[in-house]
Each structure stands twice: as structure tokens, then as C-alpha cells.
Amino acid sequence: MSLESRLEKDIVEALRRTGRDLGFSELCLLTGLNESSAASAVSSLSQKGLVSVSTRETRYAKLTGEGEYHSRNGLPERRLVKLILENKGIMPLEEARKAYPDGSFFTIALGWLRKKGWGVIRAVNGVPHVIVEKEPPEGVDETIVRMLASGPLDVSLLNTEAVKLLSSRGIVRVEERVER
């Protein structure tokens, strides 16, 4: 018996024992074969018409390094809302800039605060102020960041538009995995 036919026999036996389709990683685990040997034997079995091989591509969303930072601290705009509300809902823009916990995200926070309609910049006595009337509810983007904090998730389970938005902000990265 050649080595390849022994490997083929091990694979066929594992399929017979389980009575169901097996993923490639599960097949390697059940047979004790390394990926290279299993791939060669499965390919040979497929060419002989004894097994069929299918692939499934799954897209996963995961946090980037910046996304992990925001999962611990809150999105920049949420941190700005909290700062302004701690100051009775109104704060001079320059004072808010100085008091903001991470200056490198202040401009981003201000832009998203305005874009989301959570607050405005208005002149009071000729001085620009940031004004926030109330604590906004958690947004879909914040929910996704919170969910991804525990690990990657299949994109099909998430709000696609929010994932695209978070990806464009550099908070989330989408990766494809091919399962055989």
C-alpha cells in the first residue's frame, strides 16, 4: 500500500465514521494528518470521484488596533458627548479641545458629533461653543465595536453599512476566510 493510498483510506474512514461532511481542519484533527498530506490525499480522492470538495468564503469583521482602543474607551464622539454633558451641555470649543482626553482624536470626535446630530457648534457671545442637549442612545456602530471587542464576527451577522463605515474610519478590518 502506498503512503498516499493509506492516507486516502484514513480520510475515507473518517468520513464514514462521522457520516457527514467535514471541514478541512476537522478532517485533519480526526485523522491526525498534517494539512499538506491531507490536502494531497483529498485532492487525489476528488480526482478519482470518491469525494467532493467545496469551498465557502466567509467575511469576518475584526477590530483594528485603533478599534480596540475605542472599544475600551468609547468612540471619540461618545467621549466628547460625555465631556460636554459633564459641563452642563455647553463648553467653549477651545476649552473642550484642551479638556478632551485624547487630543489626537478631538477633530474626529467633533466631526462625528456634528455628523450624527448629537451636538452643534454655536457662537455664544462671539465665542464658539460645543453644545450637547442630551445623551444619545448607543448607535449601531458603537454596538458593533462592543460586539467585536470579544473577537471577530461573520459580517453577514452585522449591519453591513455600519461595518463599511467603521472600516472607512479604520476601526474595523474585514478579512475573508476560505473553508474547504
Side-chain angles (χ1 to χ4, degrees), residues 12 14 23 27 36 39 131 136 145 166 178:
V12 169
L27 182 63
S36 176
I131 302 169
V145 169
L166 289 166
V178 177

Side-chain angles (χ1 to χ4, degrees), residues 79-96:
R79 294 195 314 260
L80 183 56
V81 162
K82 289 182 180 194
L83 173 66
I84 302 303
L85 288 175
E86 288 168 2
N87 287 277
K88 300 181 178 149
I90 187 167
M91 194 171 185
L93 178 64
E94 286 310 311
E95 196 177 305

